[in-house]
Amino acid sequence: MTRVVYVNGRYLPYGDANVHVEDRGFQFADAIYEVMEVAGCRLVDATRHLDRLQRSLTELAMPAPMSRAAMLHIIAEVVRRNRVSDGQVYMQISRGGSPRDFTFSGKQLVPTFVCLARPISRSIRDARADKGIGVITMPDIRWGRCDIKTVMLLPAVLAKEQALAEGADEAWLVDGNGFITEGASSNAWIVNGAGHLQTRSLTSALLPGVTRLTAIDVAATIGLKVELEPFTVPEAYAACEAFATSASGTVMPIVKIDGNIVGSGIPGPQAQALREAFHRVAEHMPIH
Ligand code: PMP
């Protein structure tokens, strides 16, 4: 449960935490966000998440609302005030509010900064990973700059909703050439016939997942080979293993794709090894 939310300079009770109706995040999705895991009262991969947040701001010519040190101070305070030892932090920055107008240059906009945290039980998440999840595939109908972490998430909302309706947990989005770009809220991986981990290389078509990047580091430390190549839906069906990476699920084994059993239908050894080693390799920043 979230008790306290930081909104534009104030720590407010959850029920009183609001932004203006003419906020550009609300009207135009002119906003970016980050989600970071909290594990054992530490921020997981905070440096990489804040680097990506800065990149998203730069790509959209949005000024940072404050310094990185100030942001970290607020994150720590929100985690502390919400008594989160395991869970996640959500941060959102919009370009600010003003009478509705598409353009933003020359306007005196003050960015909106929202930060909240909520506890998530580690045992529930681990139980999900022990069982493995199901995904469905569907066309990727998103825009051409999915490398920027914007709140323009309607295609992801609809994809997840369809996955839920079909008894699955995630949707894998397929590009015009038949290759999987990524999940609706995760990066997509398989273990191919050569026994190598395979995930798509970074382009503007997908989010540069922080967990993806750390998983590549983890693979190197435990002697697993990674191929940065896209894969098709039939290749995914035929894979030895499949899994998703995201800050909210770390490494999540996939046991079903479009109703087809992956490998032996249980979480695969490479996905489990990556998951098990993940927190030993990821950065854990103490909350002061
Ligand atoms: N792709 C998309 C589209 C996402 O929304 C997310 C999670 N926000 C990811 C990948 C995974 O990124 P990360 O590992 O940084 O959470």
Side-chain angles (χ1 to χ4, degrees):
M1 195 180 71
T2 304
R3 299 159 201 262
V4 178
V5 183
Y6 175 90
V7 189
N8 292 335
R10 298 196 294 164
Y11 295 92
L12 297 168
Y14 186 71
D16 300 334
N18 300 309
V19 296
H20 197 273
V21 289
E22 290 220 282
D23 191 273
R24 293 180 64 93
F26 181 55
Q27 289 184 332
F28 300 117
D30 190 0
I32 57 111
Y33 75 109
E34 275 298 324
V35 176
M36 210 184 290
E37 188 194 2
V38 181
C41 296
R42 287 172 157 72
L43 302 173
V44 179
D45 278 331
T47 304
R48 286 178 170 175
H49 281 286
L50 293 179
D51 285 350
R52 184 174 62 187
L53 181 134
Q54 184 51 56
R55 178 182 181 276
S56 298
L57 291 172
T58 304
E59 290 296 316
L60 298 176
M62 241 186 236
M66 62 191 70
S67 69
R68 183 182 281 236
M71 215 174 270
L72 275 169
H73 174 81
I74 290 164
I75 293 168
E77 198 57 26
V78 164
V79 168
R80 201 181 58 74
R81 290 189 191 217
N82 286 289
R83 297 178 203 153
V84 177
S85 50
D86 292 300
Q88 61 182 219
V89 176
Y90 176 86
M91 280 178 284
Q92 183 175 327
I93 300 171
S94 88
R95 205 182 296 276
S98 66
R100 188 173 182 276
D101 184 7
F102 285 89
T103 60
F104 54 81
S105 53
K107 301 199 169 70
Q108 297 302 310
L109 291 162
V110 178
T112 301
F113 181 46
V114 170
C115 182
L116 59 88
R118 58 173 50 106
I120 299 170
S121 144
R122 213 190 266 199
S123 56
I124 291 175
R125 221 154 58 179
D126 285 347
R128 236 176 132 228
D130 289 344
K131 224 170 121 230
I133 63 164
V135 302
I136 57 168
T137 61
M138 67 181 71
D140 190 347
I141 59 165
R142 302 171 304 164
W143 75 323
R145 290 302 307 272
C146 291
D147 57 315
I148 309 172
K149 199 165 170 60
T150 75
V151 300
M152 208 162 54
L153 292 170
L154 190 53
V157 167
L158 298 178
K160 291 267 200 189
E161 194 60 29
Q162 194 173 329
L164 181 69
E166 295 185 27
D169 305 271
E170 172 63 308
W172 273 8
L173 309 174
V174 183
D175 72 15
N177 298 316
F179 292 104
I180 288 156
T181 42
E182 59 178 335
S185 67
S186 58
N187 288 110
W189 299 67
I190 56 169
V191 177
N192 61 28
H196 299 162
L197 304 178
Q198 189 176 338
T199 194
R200 194 178 180 132
S201 62
L202 296 180
T203 64
S204 55
L206 69 159
L207 189 79
V210 167
T211 318
R212 172 191 175 281
L213 184 57
T214 300
I216 292 172
D217 294 344
V218 176
T221 66
I222 59 175
L224 302 179
K225 286 216 165 58
V226 178
E227 285 175 29
L228 299 180
E229 294 290 341
F231 53 87
T232 62
V233 175
E235 283 169 338
Y237 292 163
C240 308
E241 297 184 31
F243 60 93
T245 54
S246 69
S248 53
T250 63
V251 178
M252 187 56 67
I254 291 168
V255 294
K256 232 185 224 183
I257 304 174
D258 292 332
N260 301 296
I261 301 288
V262 179
S264 43
I266 53 169
Q270 299 211 32
Q272 283 184 306
L274 269 187
R275 183 177 176 85
E276 193 272 321
F278 188 84
H279 282 111
R280 279 192 268 116
V281 176
E283 176 198 32
H284 283 66
M285 188 182 279
I287 295 162
H288 298 294

